[in-house]
Amino acid sequence: MGSRRCSLILGGGGIRGLAHVGVLAALEEHHLPPVEVVGSSVGAMIGAAWCAGVSSDELRQLAIQVERDDLFRIAHGEMALRRLRSPAIYRPEPLADFVRGLLGAITFDDLEHDLLVNTVDINTGAQVFWGSPGLRDVPVADAVIASCAMPGFLPPHRIGDRYFVDGAAAANLPVHPASRPDRDLVIAVDVSARARPGRAVHRLGFAAVFARGIELGVQRMDDIALRAWTKPPLLLIRPAVWHVDLLSFRHNAELVDAGHQATHAVLDAPHALPAPDATGVYPRRRVRVEILRERCIGCGACVLAGPQGQFRMDDDGKAVVTDPTPVWSPVDGYCVTQCPTSAIAALDLEPGIGVPIPAQPA
């Protein structure tokens, strides 16, 4: 692959973030180790361990063995005593003990690779990247625990006299710190569940609905950031993990393998890496786009959500495709899922490069 100064962005996604372990292994196999990792939530945890010198093989073994009780135990006492004033559904101690056992008292200056940990001050709303200049004087474990504190599920974590939560409250896929002139490639790994076909989330209770609501919100923010991205070129990897629930621990090995396979699928493709002077989001592939006119209600959502100029409204008030075989980046397919009547059909004309397009209408 050659020498590239690459930043790796590891997003949050609960247990689905175990896919990041497979991503790191595949990057090493392609001789493309990042010089910097930027992580949110589980992405911060796995990225911090790798930056601290834990090998991808060791991370795989740990990922396969970890169980739900190692990280999440319901705070029965707090919820019974304090009810709506309880700080969270789960107790903070199991996850905190796990992270401290993994990272010890290591500081940011002790790491083998640069690391930024994405958090948000729950009181001021400020997004704070631990590991940045002036924000390196705390144990890495504390920054990671704060980044994993998903509001409502785990209580805010205290660092100094401030309280921090999961950085996904501001950006689940925090790409903007990597927009720097000393980087010529960004690889971003999105492990969020962008669609839940066949999953009746509305029937799964408060926790599932609340988590899904947060996830949808952060996905919108991530999509806006990615669609506006210019340089350095960004390679987006989306492992096939969306079918796994946020806190399900029944698919650990499958999740690691999904990250490994998705990364190889992207990097093994011809001309996989964009040139250092390229702009925008990759990989790109040609698709066939069609409007199912019998379903189109003329709402114009495709014009707003689609790539600029891809759709227009005709004299009958129906959507029309201006280019039936465009070249799309992974973020251009956002418009398919935003059509309220599933009237947009998109067929990948270059399958096998590891970037699935959204599910097609039934």
Side-chain angles (χ1 to χ4, degrees):
M1 287 293 180
S3 178
R4 302 290 293 266
R5 290 191 58 77
C6 168
S7 289
L8 177 64
I9 317 296
L10 301 179
I15 193 63
R16 295 188 293 265
L18 295 184
H20 294 320
V21 175
V23 171
L24 285 163
L27 291 178
E28 291 173 348
E29 291 161 8
H30 276 271
H31 306 291
L32 194 61
V35 298
E36 170 190 63
V37 176
V38 185
S40 282
S41 196
V42 64
M45 183 192 302
I46 292 171
W50 185 82
C51 288
V54 181
S55 71
S56 56
D57 287 339
E58 292 172 311
L59 284 172
R60 178 182 175 82
Q61 290 303 312
L62 187 62
I64 291 173
Q65 295 169 6
V66 69
E67 298 179 354
R68 185 187 180 98
D69 283 350
D70 294 329
L71 302 175
F72 300 103
R73 297 176 203 165
I74 294 177
H76 290 290
E78 285 277 5
M79 293 176 67
L81 287 172
R82 303 182 66 181
R83 300 192 179 185
L84 291 180
R85 294 188 66 85
S86 175
I89 296 174
Y90 296 102
R91 294 166 47 193
E93 296 87 0
L95 185 134
D97 291 345
F98 182 88
V99 172
R100 295 191 197 284
L102 180 65
L103 297 173
I106 196 168
T107 67
F108 283 91
D109 290 333
D110 298 325
L111 296 173
E112 296 181 8
H113 307 275
D114 289 341
L115 172 71
L116 296 179
V117 175
N118 182 28
T119 65
V120 171
D121 184 319
I122 192 62
N123 291 306
T124 69
Q127 187 176 17
V128 176
F129 286 94
W130 299 99
S132 302
L135 294 168
R136 302 175 62 86
D137 58 345
V138 302
V140 176
D142 275 303
V144 170
I145 294 166
S147 188
C148 290
M150 182 178 176
F153 286 79
L154 288 163
H157 184 65
R158 181 175 180 175
I159 300 179
D161 60 355
R162 301 168 69 184
Y163 289 83
F164 295 89
V165 297
D166 188 343
N172 191 48
L173 201 63
V175 294
H176 73 266
S179 181
R180 294 161 39 180
D182 61 339
R183 299 286 184 265
D184 60 22
L185 178 67
V186 175
I187 298 177
V189 187
D190 179 8
V191 292
S192 64
R194 305 197 68 80
R196 304 304 304 269
R199 298 290 293 171
V201 178
H202 63 284
R203 297 177 180 174
L204 301 180
F206 159 76
V209 172
F210 180 70
R212 182 61 175 156
I214 292 177
E215 188 166 54
L216 290 172
V218 300
Q219 284 173 1
R220 297 297 184 271
M221 292 189 290
D222 291 342
D223 285 331
I224 290 170
L226 290 171
R227 292 176 73 187
W229 185 266
T230 54
K231 58 183 181 180
L234 187 148
L235 195 64
L236 182 60
I237 297 174
R238 285 178 170 156
V241 297
W242 45 81
H243 60 291
V244 177
D245 290 334
L246 196 69
L247 300 181
S248 171
F249 284 73
R250 299 189 301 273
H251 309 272
N252 295 23
E254 175 190 340
L255 291 167
V256 175
D257 291 341
H260 189 260
Q261 292 165 8
T263 307
H264 271 293
V266 169
L267 295 180
D268 288 343
H271 312 295
L273 293 186
D277 60 351
T279 60
V281 179
Y282 294 80
R284 296 177 179 175
R285 79 281 192 221
R286 191 166 296 280
V287 299
R288 183 179 300 281
V289 185
E290 178 185 358
I291 296 292
L292 307 178
R293 287 184 67 84
E294 68 277 9
R295 295 188 180 187
C296 179
I297 58 175
C299 67
C302 55
V303 177
L304 296 174
Q308 186 173 11
Q310 177 68 66
F311 302 96
R312 64 176 178 83
M313 308 306 293
D314 66 12
D315 293 340
D316 296 326
K318 299 279 189 176
V320 175
V321 177
T322 58
D323 180 359
T325 56
V327 175
W328 274 4
S329 79
V331 296
D332 290 330
Y334 172 74
C335 56
V336 176
T337 60
Q338 294 311 293
C339 177
T341 58
S342 299
I344 306 173
L347 174 67
D348 195 340
L349 298 180
E350 300 178 62
I353 64 171
V355 188
I357 58 177
Q360 300 307 299

